[in-house]
Amino acid sequence: MVNKVYNNRAWLLVLPMLALVAFSAIIPLMTVVNYSVQDVFDANTRFFTGIEWFERTLNDAGLQAALLRQFAFSFTVLAIQVPLGIGIALLMPKRGWQASAVLILITLPLLIPWNVVGSIWQIFTRGDIGLMGVGLRELGYGYNITRNPVDAWATIVLMDVWHWTPLIALLCYSGLRSIPEAYYQAARIDRASKWAVFRYIQLPKLTNVLVIGVLLRFMHSFMIYAEPFVLTGGGPGSSTTFLSQSLATMAIGQQDLGPSAAFSLIYFLIILLVCWVFYTAIMNMQKDKAERGGV
Amino acid sequence: MSLILENIDHVVGASTHIEGVSLELAPGSFNVLLGRTLAGKTTLMRLMAGLEAPTHGKVMMHGRDVTGVPVRKRNVSMVYQQFINYPTLSVFDNIASPLQLARVDKQEIRRRVHETAEMLHIEHLLDRFPLELSGGQQQRTAMGRALVKDAELILFDEPLVNLDYKLREEFRDELRELFKAKNCIAVYATTEPNEALALGGHTAVLHEGRLLQYGRTEDVYHRPRDILTAEMFSEPPINVMPGLVSGSEVSFDDTLYFPVDEVFSRLDPGAYHFGVRASHISLSRLHPTDLEVEVTVELSEISGSETFLHVRNDIFSLVLHLGGVHRFETDQRITVFLPTHKMYAFDQHGAIVHVPSHRGGR
């Protein structure tokens, strides 16, 4: 028999971490949970409501529409940004001053604050003074983001693509740079086509950075708030009202603390769930590959 | 089917990588490019393959000028120092890839891949993926890709550097066997003189972008054209000692001399450089004409079961390559024996003027 000595002092070492997490995550989250199950009138008057706010949130037709819109938006921008980002990374110069110049140019949109991006595009698309607004009208297209939902949608998607495609491009660029020159030479000697080089040399190297890129971009785009808020204010009607804006209207505009707390929790869980599913799927894919020996 | 380089220069920016190289490689020949790092071996291979075009000069393949023809339009293959395979393709698909790109018939691909894999002893690994394999097996896969397509020219750019010593010997022997049956031109770059000797065939000695000498490997080894070639093609480099030839003797200074025999008496009196290989110097008298030299030990390195002994006297320093493990103290006084009948002589410009007749041993 081996006599194991249990030393419970180890728990003491966990305490600081626990305290930190409590302040940074658990306590704020519990406040929200607290509100989500009560109807609060003032500091002394409150009623326990159970899951009523959750039921109401889930059955709210406006919120359901916003959720669908949110998914549609995230998928649209991802579907555009991922291939476009890869394409840009492939076309970027590999060395010399051109490489530095292009890197700086590409990075610029990433450095602009969300609100400013919204303002830039708000002015850019104005029918009276905006370059794009006036330009499209001159070309004979009756472009108007305050009237036409399609125009508003297209503009928000375009804005997001402009703002965030560089992130994918940068990630892919760094991935591509890590491929030794000898691989390309060997492919040339094999007389491999450009497509074969991409498919069998470059893409396998990019999978890891793309997983990170897609996860980041999904979370980002799913939480989008400031840019459409400044650009369209969620309109025309509610055609560009995404989840964050619905939440803000509810919590700050209408002071519906209970329902917005329930809504916040559901919102948080959806993001967590989608990321988890996505991450697990990718990891399983890689495990399969690793078992077969690929990377 | 021969590859001819005519007066090739390759200049990149302000630096000359290859200068005035002319070389003719015969069909079916196995050629070693020997030179230190930055001697221009890889550049020369890239020029042969058509990965780059020379700045001046001509590249001819079977009498056809292919100077500007890119690699895609030639039938060459190359094996690199790194193990280069497609990571997401199985060993079979990796080896088959050049044939698939050339749209060879499926049945034929299967047959040739199996044949090549068998030759390289990796037929049991065909279903695996490159990263599941050991380094040696990965390099075998890469070689399979190079060998399967019956290229006219196969280039090996230091392919064994990343493998361990035992594997290298195995590979070298197999490579020589493999190429005996083939009619393509093989070119093999290495920094190691011993590897060149083990591979045999022909050797081209390169130094700072220039071709020093090309010929049958043993010939280049035994009859180097000048001091530089002799130094490049021996590890450790051949010992060079300045000396004088007079009517009756060869002298290194007032106290160190030996009488000229019928060989050295043919040299005109004057100053020469005498070369003796590190492995030819011994610690005991092996031949009646050996020259006895008193020296001081500077450094003794033991490498495996061999000892490299660095010694000097007032006139020159020597390196001895001794078999077995020997222990010496620094500053220890010892006597070494230089075989005068195995000495090379070079003139003041470094050109060879006397080659010892070699019988046995390196």
Side-chain angles (χ1 to χ4, degrees), chain A residues 180-194 196-197 199-201 203-205 289-295, chain B residues 46 50-51 71-78 80 82-89 97-98 101 128-129 131-132 145 149:
Chain A
E181 180 59 30
Y183 276 86
Y184 294 111
Q185 249 186 56
R188 262 159 80 198
I189 289 177
D190 281 357
R191 302 181 199 170
S193 62
K194 275 222 158 101
V197 170
R199 172 68 188 79
Y200 296 110
I201 298 175
L203 200 56
K205 272 276 179 188
K289 264 195 206 162
E291 275 158 15
R292 289 183 3 237
V295 162
Chain B
R46 292 170 59 89
L51 282 162
V71 67
R72 283 178 191 282
K73 298 203 174 134
R74 300 205 203 164
N75 190 9
V76 300
S77 50
M78 190 153 175
Y80 297 83
Q82 305 101 312
F83 313 136
I84 296 202
N85 295 301
Y86 298 108
T88 54
L89 298 182
S97 63
L101 287 166
R128 304 258 216 112
F129 286 83
L131 293 175
E132 293 177 313
R145 264 195 11 257
K149 69 176 184 182

Short mmCIF file of all heavy atoms in Angstrom, two decimals, chain A residues 180-194 196-197 199-201 203-205 289-295, chain B residues 46 50-51 71-78 80 82-89 97-98 101 128-129 131-132 145 149:
data_model
loop_
_atom_site.label_atom_id
_atom_site.label_comp_id
_atom_site.label_asym_id
_atom_site.label_seq_id
_atom_site.Cartn_x
_atom_site.Cartn_y
_atom_site.Cartn_z
N PRO A 180 8.71 27.32 -46.56
CA PRO A 180 10.05 27.47 -47.14
C PRO A 180 10.01 27.57 -48.66
O PRO A 180 9.19 26.92 -49.31
CB PRO A 180 10.77 26.18 -46.72
CG PRO A 180 9.96 25.61 -45.63
CD PRO A 180 8.56 26.07 -45.83
N GLU A 181 10.89 28.39 -49.21
CA GLU A 181 10.97 28.61 -50.66
C GLU A 181 11.13 27.29 -51.43
O GLU A 181 10.63 27.13 -52.53
CB GLU A 181 12.15 29.55 -50.94
CG GLU A 181 12.39 29.91 -52.39
CD GLU A 181 11.20 30.58 -53.06
OE1 GLU A 181 10.46 31.28 -52.36
OE2 GLU A 181 11.03 30.38 -54.28
N ALA A 182 11.83 26.33 -50.80
CA ALA A 182 12.11 25.07 -51.48
C ALA A 182 10.82 24.35 -51.90
O ALA A 182 10.80 23.65 -52.91
CB ALA A 182 12.94 24.17 -50.58
N TYR A 183 9.74 24.53 -51.13
CA TYR A 183 8.47 23.89 -51.51
C TYR A 183 7.98 24.41 -52.86
O TYR A 183 7.51 23.65 -53.70
CB TYR A 183 7.40 24.18 -50.45
CG TYR A 183 7.45 23.22 -49.29
CD1 TYR A 183 8.29 23.44 -48.22
CD2 TYR A 183 6.64 22.08 -49.29
CE1 TYR A 183 8.34 22.56 -47.16
CE2 TYR A 183 6.68 21.20 -48.24
CZ TYR A 183 7.53 21.44 -47.17
OH TYR A 183 7.57 20.56 -46.14
N TYR A 184 8.08 25.72 -53.04
CA TYR A 184 7.62 26.30 -54.31
C TYR A 184 8.50 25.83 -55.47
O TYR A 184 8.02 25.55 -56.55
CB TYR A 184 7.63 27.83 -54.23
CG TYR A 184 6.65 28.38 -53.24
CD1 TYR A 184 7.06 28.99 -52.07
CD2 TYR A 184 5.28 28.28 -53.48
CE1 TYR A 184 6.15 29.49 -51.16
CE2 TYR A 184 4.36 28.77 -52.58
CZ TYR A 184 4.80 29.37 -51.42
OH TYR A 184 3.90 29.86 -50.52
N GLN A 185 9.81 25.77 -55.18
CA GLN A 185 10.75 25.30 -56.21
C GLN A 185 10.43 23.87 -56.61
O GLN A 185 10.36 23.55 -57.80
CB GLN A 185 12.14 25.32 -55.62
CG GLN A 185 13.03 26.35 -56.22
CD GLN A 185 14.43 26.18 -55.66
OE1 GLN A 185 15.02 25.12 -55.75
NE2 GLN A 185 14.93 27.24 -55.07
N ALA A 186 10.22 23.03 -55.58
CA ALA A 186 9.91 21.63 -55.84
C ALA A 186 8.65 21.53 -56.68
O ALA A 186 8.57 20.72 -57.61
CB ALA A 186 9.75 20.87 -54.54
N ALA A 187 7.67 22.37 -56.38
CA ALA A 187 6.41 22.34 -57.14
C ALA A 187 6.65 22.76 -58.59
O ALA A 187 6.07 22.19 -59.51
CB ALA A 187 5.38 23.26 -56.48
N ARG A 188 7.52 23.75 -58.77
CA ARG A 188 7.82 24.19 -60.15
C ARG A 188 8.48 23.05 -60.92
O ARG A 188 8.18 22.82 -62.09
CB ARG A 188 8.75 25.39 -60.12
CG ARG A 188 8.05 26.72 -60.27
CD ARG A 188 8.91 27.83 -59.75
NE ARG A 188 9.95 28.24 -60.68
CZ ARG A 188 11.02 28.94 -60.31
NH1 ARG A 188 11.20 29.26 -59.05
NH2 ARG A 188 11.91 29.28 -61.21
N ILE A 189 9.41 22.36 -60.25
CA ILE A 189 10.10 21.25 -60.89
C ILE A 189 9.11 20.14 -61.23
O ILE A 189 9.18 19.51 -62.28
CB ILE A 189 11.24 20.74 -59.99
CG1 ILE A 189 12.35 21.79 -59.98
CG2 ILE A 189 11.77 19.39 -60.46
CD1 ILE A 189 13.50 21.46 -59.08
N ASP A 190 8.14 19.92 -60.33
CA ASP A 190 7.10 18.91 -60.60
C ASP A 190 6.11 19.37 -61.67
O ASP A 190 5.20 18.64 -62.03
CB ASP A 190 6.29 18.63 -59.32
CG ASP A 190 7.04 17.70 -58.37
OD1 ASP A 190 8.13 17.26 -58.75
OD2 ASP A 190 6.53 17.43 -57.28
N ARG A 191 6.25 20.61 -62.10
CA ARG A 191 5.33 21.22 -63.05
C ARG A 191 3.92 21.32 -62.48
O ARG A 191 2.93 21.12 -63.19
CB ARG A 191 5.29 20.43 -64.36
CG ARG A 191 6.65 20.31 -65.00
CD ARG A 191 6.54 19.54 -66.28
NE ARG A 191 7.84 19.03 -66.67
CZ ARG A 191 8.01 18.17 -67.65
NH1 ARG A 191 6.98 17.71 -68.33
NH2 ARG A 191 9.22 17.75 -67.97
N ALA A 192 3.82 21.57 -61.18
CA ALA A 192 2.51 21.70 -60.57
C ALA A 192 1.88 23.03 -60.98
O ALA A 192 2.57 24.03 -61.12
CB ALA A 192 2.63 21.63 -59.05
N SER A 193 0.55 23.03 -61.15
CA SER A 193 -0.14 24.25 -61.54
C SER A 193 -0.26 25.17 -60.33
O SER A 193 -0.05 24.76 -59.20
CB SER A 193 -1.53 23.91 -62.05
OG SER A 193 -2.28 23.31 -61.01
N LYS A 194 -0.62 26.43 -60.58
CA LYS A 194 -0.83 27.40 -59.49
C LYS A 194 -1.87 26.86 -58.52
O LYS A 194 -1.76 27.00 -57.31
CB LYS A 194 -1.33 28.73 -60.08
CG LYS A 194 -0.20 29.62 -60.55
CD LYS A 194 -0.50 31.05 -60.14
CE LYS A 194 0.76 31.87 -60.10
NZ LYS A 194 0.98 32.71 -61.24
N ALA A 196 -2.66 23.72 -57.94
CA ALA A 196 -2.12 22.60 -57.16
C ALA A 196 -1.23 23.12 -56.04
O ALA A 196 -1.25 22.61 -54.92
CB ALA A 196 -1.34 21.65 -58.06
N VAL A 197 -0.45 24.17 -56.33
CA VAL A 197 0.41 24.76 -55.30
C VAL A 197 -0.46 25.29 -54.16
O VAL A 197 -0.19 25.08 -52.98
CB VAL A 197 1.27 25.90 -55.88
CG1 VAL A 197 1.97 26.67 -54.77
CG2 VAL A 197 2.30 25.34 -56.85
N ARG A 199 -3.62 24.40 -53.45
CA ARG A 199 -4.41 23.36 -52.81
C ARG A 199 -3.55 22.44 -51.91
O ARG A 199 -3.98 22.06 -50.83
CB ARG A 199 -5.10 22.53 -53.90
CG ARG A 199 -5.81 21.28 -53.45
CD ARG A 199 -7.03 21.61 -52.61
NE ARG A 199 -7.60 20.40 -52.04
CZ ARG A 199 -7.11 19.78 -50.98
NH1 ARG A 199 -6.05 20.26 -50.38
NH2 ARG A 199 -7.69 18.69 -50.52
N TYR A 200 -2.34 22.11 -52.37
CA TYR A 200 -1.56 21.10 -51.64
C TYR A 200 -0.40 21.66 -50.82
O TYR A 200 0.17 20.96 -50.01
CB TYR A 200 -1.04 20.04 -52.62
CG TYR A 200 -2.15 19.28 -53.27
CD1 TYR A 200 -2.45 19.43 -54.61
CD2 TYR A 200 -2.95 18.43 -52.50
CE1 TYR A 200 -3.50 18.74 -55.18
CE2 TYR A 200 -4.01 17.75 -53.06
CZ TYR A 200 -4.28 17.91 -54.41
OH TYR A 200 -5.34 17.24 -54.95
N ILE A 201 -0.02 22.90 -51.06
CA ILE A 201 1.07 23.46 -50.27
C ILE A 201 0.58 24.61 -49.40
O ILE A 201 0.77 24.62 -48.19
CB ILE A 201 2.22 23.95 -51.17
CG1 ILE A 201 2.80 22.77 -51.96
CG2 ILE A 201 3.32 24.61 -50.34
CD1 ILE A 201 3.85 23.16 -52.96
N LEU A 203 -2.73 26.01 -48.87
CA LEU A 203 -3.94 25.86 -48.04
C LEU A 203 -3.69 25.02 -46.78
O LEU A 203 -4.12 25.41 -45.70
CB LEU A 203 -5.08 25.29 -48.89
CG LEU A 203 -6.47 25.52 -48.32
CD1 LEU A 203 -6.74 27.00 -48.08
CD2 LEU A 203 -7.54 24.95 -49.22
N PRO A 204 -2.98 23.87 -46.90
CA PRO A 204 -2.72 23.11 -45.67
C PRO A 204 -2.00 23.95 -44.61
O PRO A 204 -2.26 23.81 -43.43
CB PRO A 204 -1.83 21.96 -46.14
CG PRO A 204 -2.15 21.79 -47.57
CD PRO A 204 -2.49 23.16 -48.09
N LYS A 205 -1.12 24.84 -45.07
CA LYS A 205 -0.39 25.68 -44.11
C LYS A 205 -1.31 26.74 -43.50
O LYS A 205 -1.01 27.29 -42.44
CB LYS A 205 0.77 26.38 -44.83
CG LYS A 205 2.03 25.57 -44.84
CD LYS A 205 2.82 25.76 -43.56
CE LYS A 205 4.08 24.90 -43.61
NZ LYS A 205 4.80 24.90 -42.35
N LYS A 289 -7.09 14.24 -39.16
CA LYS A 289 -5.96 14.42 -40.07
C LYS A 289 -4.67 13.95 -39.43
O LYS A 289 -3.87 13.27 -40.04
CB LYS A 289 -5.83 15.89 -40.45
CG LYS A 289 -6.49 16.23 -41.76
CD LYS A 289 -5.96 17.57 -42.16
CE LYS A 289 -6.93 18.31 -43.04
NZ LYS A 289 -6.60 19.73 -43.06
N ALA A 290 -4.49 14.33 -38.14
CA ALA A 290 -3.26 13.96 -37.45
C ALA A 290 -3.15 12.45 -37.36
O ALA A 290 -2.07 11.88 -37.51
CB ALA A 290 -3.25 14.57 -36.05
N GLU A 291 -4.31 11.79 -37.17
CA GLU A 291 -4.26 10.33 -37.12
C GLU A 291 -3.88 9.75 -38.46
O GLU A 291 -3.24 8.71 -38.54
CB GLU A 291 -5.63 9.79 -36.66
CG GLU A 291 -5.73 9.76 -35.15
CD GLU A 291 -7.15 9.75 -34.67
OE1 GLU A 291 -8.06 9.48 -35.48
OE2 GLU A 291 -7.36 10.01 -33.47
N ARG A 292 -4.28 10.48 -39.51
CA ARG A 292 -3.87 10.02 -40.84
C ARG A 292 -2.50 10.56 -41.19
O ARG A 292 -1.92 10.18 -42.20
CB ARG A 292 -4.88 10.47 -41.89
CG ARG A 292 -6.18 9.74 -41.79
CD ARG A 292 -7.15 10.16 -42.90
NE ARG A 292 -6.58 11.10 -43.82
CZ ARG A 292 -7.12 12.29 -44.08
NH1 ARG A 292 -8.21 12.67 -43.49
NH2 ARG A 292 -6.56 13.09 -44.95
N GLY A 293 -2.01 11.49 -40.37
CA GLY A 293 -0.64 11.96 -40.56
C GLY A 293 -0.51 13.29 -41.26
O GLY A 293 0.56 13.84 -41.34
N GLY A 294 -1.59 13.84 -41.76
CA GLY A 294 -1.49 15.13 -42.43
C GLY A 294 -1.43 16.24 -41.41
O GLY A 294 -1.54 16.01 -40.22
N VAL A 295 -1.25 17.46 -41.87
CA VAL A 295 -1.27 18.59 -40.94
C VAL A 295 -2.26 19.61 -41.43
O VAL A 295 -2.31 19.88 -42.61
CB VAL A 295 0.13 19.24 -40.84
CG1 VAL A 295 0.01 20.63 -40.25
CG2 VAL A 295 1.00 18.39 -39.97
N ARG B 46 20.70 25.24 -59.61
CA ARG B 46 19.51 25.99 -60.04
C ARG B 46 19.65 26.41 -61.50
O ARG B 46 18.67 26.43 -62.25
CB ARG B 46 19.30 27.20 -59.15
CG ARG B 46 18.91 26.83 -57.72
CD ARG B 46 18.95 28.04 -56.81
NE ARG B 46 18.07 29.10 -57.27
CZ ARG B 46 16.80 29.20 -56.91
NH1 ARG B 46 16.28 28.34 -56.09
NH2 ARG B 46 16.04 30.16 -57.38
N GLY B 50 17.30 25.16 -64.61
CA GLY B 50 16.47 26.15 -65.27
C GLY B 50 15.60 26.90 -64.30
O GLY B 50 14.66 27.60 -64.69
N LEU B 51 15.85 26.74 -63.00
CA LEU B 51 15.12 27.54 -62.02
C LEU B 51 15.55 28.99 -62.13
O LEU B 51 14.83 29.90 -61.76
CB LEU B 51 15.41 27.02 -60.60
CG LEU B 51 14.66 25.76 -60.20
CD1 LEU B 51 15.30 25.10 -59.01
CD2 LEU B 51 13.21 26.08 -59.92
N VAL B 71 12.11 25.86 -65.93
CA VAL B 71 12.12 24.50 -65.39
C VAL B 71 10.86 23.72 -65.75
O VAL B 71 10.91 22.52 -65.96
CB VAL B 71 12.35 24.53 -63.86
CG1 VAL B 71 11.17 25.14 -63.14
CG2 VAL B 71 12.63 23.14 -63.33
N ARG B 72 9.74 24.41 -65.86
CA ARG B 72 8.48 23.73 -66.17
C ARG B 72 8.53 23.03 -67.52
O ARG B 72 7.81 22.08 -67.77
CB ARG B 72 7.32 24.72 -66.21
CG ARG B 72 6.85 25.15 -64.84
CD ARG B 72 5.75 26.17 -64.97
NE ARG B 72 5.46 26.77 -63.69
CZ ARG B 72 4.74 26.18 -62.75
NH1 ARG B 72 4.23 24.99 -62.97
NH2 ARG B 72 4.53 26.77 -61.60
N LYS B 73 9.37 23.56 -68.41
CA LYS B 73 9.42 22.97 -69.75
C LYS B 73 10.58 21.99 -69.90
O LYS B 73 10.91 21.57 -70.99
CB LYS B 73 9.53 24.08 -70.79
CG LYS B 73 8.34 24.99 -70.76
CD LYS B 73 8.13 25.71 -72.06
CE LYS B 73 6.84 26.49 -72.00
NZ LYS B 73 6.99 27.85 -72.51
N ARG B 74 11.24 21.69 -68.80
CA ARG B 74 12.34 20.72 -68.88
C ARG B 74 11.96 19.49 -68.09
O ARG B 74 11.00 19.49 -67.31
CB ARG B 74 13.60 21.32 -68.26
CG ARG B 74 14.02 22.57 -68.96
CD ARG B 74 15.48 22.75 -68.76
NE ARG B 74 15.88 24.13 -68.91
CZ ARG B 74 17.05 24.57 -68.48
NH1 ARG B 74 17.86 23.76 -67.85
NH2 ARG B 74 17.38 25.82 -68.66
N ASN B 75 12.73 18.46 -68.28
CA ASN B 75 12.44 17.23 -67.56
C ASN B 75 13.53 16.99 -66.51
O ASN B 75 14.44 16.22 -66.71
CB ASN B 75 12.35 16.07 -68.56
CG ASN B 75 11.82 14.82 -67.90
OD1 ASN B 75 11.37 14.86 -66.76
ND2 ASN B 75 11.89 13.71 -68.61
N VAL B 76 13.42 17.72 -65.41
CA VAL B 76 14.42 17.57 -64.34
C VAL B 76 13.70 17.26 -63.04
O VAL B 76 12.51 17.48 -62.90
CB VAL B 76 15.25 18.86 -64.15
CG1 VAL B 76 16.00 19.21 -65.40
CG2 VAL B 76 14.39 20.00 -63.71
N SER B 77 14.44 16.73 -62.08
CA SER B 77 13.88 16.62 -60.73
C SER B 77 14.97 16.92 -59.73
O SER B 77 16.16 16.90 -60.05
CB SER B 77 13.26 15.25 -60.49
OG SER B 77 14.15 14.24 -60.84
N MET B 78 14.53 17.26 -58.53
CA MET B 78 15.49 17.74 -57.54
C MET B 78 15.11 17.24 -56.15
O MET B 78 13.93 17.16 -55.81
CB MET B 78 15.49 19.27 -57.57
CG MET B 78 16.60 19.91 -56.78
SD MET B 78 17.00 21.54 -57.47
CE MET B 78 18.20 22.14 -56.30
N TYR B 80 15.99 17.93 -52.05
CA TYR B 80 16.56 19.01 -51.24
C TYR B 80 17.08 18.51 -49.91
O TYR B 80 16.80 17.40 -49.48
CB TYR B 80 15.49 20.06 -50.97
CG TYR B 80 14.99 20.74 -52.20
CD1 TYR B 80 14.00 20.16 -52.98
CD2 TYR B 80 15.51 21.95 -52.61
CE1 TYR B 80 13.53 20.77 -54.12
CE2 TYR B 80 15.06 22.57 -53.74
CZ TYR B 80 14.07 21.97 -54.50
OH TYR B 80 13.62 22.59 -55.63
N GLN B 82 16.07 19.85 -47.06
CA GLN B 82 14.86 19.64 -46.26
C GLN B 82 14.07 18.51 -46.90
O GLN B 82 14.19 18.29 -48.09
CB GLN B 82 13.97 20.88 -46.25
CG GLN B 82 14.63 22.16 -45.79
CD GLN B 82 15.01 23.02 -46.99
OE1 GLN B 82 15.60 22.53 -47.95
NE2 GLN B 82 14.66 24.29 -46.94
N PHE B 83 13.26 17.83 -46.11
CA PHE B 83 12.46 16.75 -46.66
C PHE B 83 11.18 17.36 -47.21
O PHE B 83 10.28 17.71 -46.46
CB PHE B 83 12.12 15.72 -45.58
CG PHE B 83 13.31 15.32 -44.77
CD1 PHE B 83 13.23 15.21 -43.40
CD2 PHE B 83 14.52 15.05 -45.39
CE1 PHE B 83 14.34 14.85 -42.64
CE2 PHE B 83 15.63 14.69 -44.65
CZ PHE B 83 15.54 14.59 -43.28
N ILE B 84 11.11 17.50 -48.53
CA ILE B 84 9.98 18.22 -49.10
C ILE B 84 8.97 17.27 -49.73
O ILE B 84 9.26 16.60 -50.72
CB ILE B 84 10.49 19.25 -50.11
CG1 ILE B 84 11.32 20.24 -49.31
CG2 ILE B 84 9.34 19.89 -50.85
CD1 ILE B 84 11.50 21.55 -49.91
N ASN B 85 7.80 17.19 -49.08
CA ASN B 85 6.70 16.38 -49.60
C ASN B 85 5.41 17.15 -49.40
O ASN B 85 5.36 18.09 -48.62
CB ASN B 85 6.61 15.06 -48.83
CG ASN B 85 7.82 14.19 -49.05
OD1 ASN B 85 8.13 13.81 -50.18
ND2 ASN B 85 8.54 13.89 -47.98
N TYR B 86 4.34 16.73 -50.11
CA TYR B 86 3.05 17.37 -49.89
C TYR B 86 2.45 16.77 -48.61
O TYR B 86 2.20 15.57 -48.56
CB TYR B 86 2.11 17.10 -51.07
CG TYR B 86 2.62 17.67 -52.37
CD1 TYR B 86 3.11 16.86 -53.37
CD2 TYR B 86 2.59 19.04 -52.60
CE1 TYR B 86 3.58 17.39 -54.56
CE2 TYR B 86 3.05 19.58 -53.78
CZ TYR B 86 3.55 18.74 -54.76
OH TYR B 86 4.00 19.27 -55.93
N PRO B 87 2.23 17.60 -47.59
CA PRO B 87 1.83 17.06 -46.28
C PRO B 87 0.46 16.38 -46.27
O PRO B 87 0.25 15.46 -45.49
CB PRO B 87 1.83 18.29 -45.36
CG PRO B 87 1.75 19.46 -46.27
CD PRO B 87 2.39 19.06 -47.56
N THR B 88 -0.45 16.81 -47.13
CA THR B 88 -1.80 16.23 -47.06
C THR B 88 -1.97 15.05 -48.01
O THR B 88 -3.06 14.50 -48.11
CB THR B 88 -2.88 17.28 -47.40
OG1 THR B 88 -2.55 17.85 -48.67
CG2 THR B 88 -2.92 18.38 -46.36
N LEU B 89 -0.93 14.68 -48.73
CA LEU B 89 -1.03 13.54 -49.64
C LEU B 89 -0.30 12.33 -49.05
O LEU B 89 0.72 12.49 -48.38
CB LEU B 89 -0.40 13.89 -51.00
CG LEU B 89 -1.05 15.04 -51.77
CD1 LEU B 89 -0.34 15.21 -53.10
CD2 LEU B 89 -2.52 14.79 -51.99
N SER B 97 2.59 12.11 -57.74
CA SER B 97 2.21 13.46 -58.17
C SER B 97 2.84 13.93 -59.49
O SER B 97 2.12 14.48 -60.33
CB SER B 97 2.44 14.47 -57.04
OG SER B 97 3.81 14.53 -56.71
N PRO B 98 4.14 13.71 -59.73
CA PRO B 98 4.66 14.18 -61.02
C PRO B 98 4.03 13.46 -62.21
O PRO B 98 3.83 14.07 -63.27
CB PRO B 98 6.16 13.85 -60.95
CG PRO B 98 6.44 13.51 -59.55
CD PRO B 98 5.18 13.09 -58.91
N LEU B 101 0.49 14.82 -62.77
CA LEU B 101 0.55 16.12 -63.43
C LEU B 101 0.88 15.95 -64.92
O LEU B 101 0.49 16.76 -65.74
CB LEU B 101 1.58 17.02 -62.76
CG LEU B 101 1.15 17.54 -61.38
CD1 LEU B 101 2.33 18.13 -60.64
CD2 LEU B 101 0.06 18.58 -61.53
N ARG B 128 0.78 5.68 -45.84
CA ARG B 128 1.00 6.61 -44.75
C ARG B 128 1.15 8.03 -45.26
O ARG B 128 1.22 8.27 -46.46
CB ARG B 128 2.28 6.22 -44.01
CG ARG B 128 2.26 4.82 -43.53
CD ARG B 128 1.95 4.71 -42.07
NE ARG B 128 2.72 3.62 -41.51
CZ ARG B 128 3.70 3.78 -40.65
NH1 ARG B 128 4.02 4.98 -40.23
NH2 ARG B 128 4.36 2.74 -40.19
N PHE B 129 1.23 8.98 -44.29
CA PHE B 129 1.42 10.37 -44.65
C PHE B 129 2.84 10.79 -44.24
O PHE B 129 3.38 10.27 -43.27
CB PHE B 129 0.38 11.24 -43.96
CG PHE B 129 -0.96 11.09 -44.61
CD1 PHE B 129 -1.78 10.03 -44.27
CD2 PHE B 129 -1.37 11.97 -45.59
CE1 PHE B 129 -3.00 9.85 -44.88
CE2 PHE B 129 -2.58 11.81 -46.21
CZ PHE B 129 -3.40 10.75 -45.86
N LEU B 131 4.32 13.05 -42.57
CA LEU B 131 4.74 13.42 -41.22
C LEU B 131 4.63 12.27 -40.23
O LEU B 131 5.02 12.40 -39.08
CB LEU B 131 3.96 14.64 -40.74
CG LEU B 131 4.33 15.89 -41.55
CD1 LEU B 131 3.47 17.06 -41.15
CD2 LEU B 131 5.80 16.24 -41.39
N GLU B 132 4.10 11.14 -40.67
CA GLU B 132 4.11 9.96 -39.80
C GLU B 132 5.42 9.20 -39.92
O GLU B 132 5.63 8.23 -39.22
CB GLU B 132 3.00 8.99 -40.22
CG GLU B 132 1.61 9.48 -40.00
CD GLU B 132 0.61 8.47 -40.54
OE1 GLU B 132 0.79 7.98 -41.67
OE2 GLU B 132 -0.34 8.16 -39.83
N ARG B 145 9.71 10.73 -55.50
CA ARG B 145 9.09 11.72 -56.39
C ARG B 145 10.06 12.13 -57.49
O ARG B 145 9.68 12.37 -58.62
CB ARG B 145 8.65 12.94 -55.60
CG ARG B 145 7.22 12.87 -55.23
CD ARG B 145 6.60 14.18 -54.76
NE ARG B 145 7.36 15.37 -54.97
CZ ARG B 145 8.04 16.01 -54.02
NH1 ARG B 145 8.04 15.53 -52.80
NH2 ARG B 145 8.68 17.09 -54.29
N LYS B 149 9.78 9.88 -62.31
CA LYS B 149 9.36 10.44 -63.61
C LYS B 149 10.40 10.33 -64.71
O LYS B 149 10.22 10.93 -65.76
CB LYS B 149 8.89 11.88 -63.44
CG LYS B 149 9.97 12.88 -63.10
CD LYS B 149 9.35 14.28 -63.08
CE LYS B 149 10.40 15.33 -62.84
NZ LYS B 149 9.85 16.67 -62.76
#
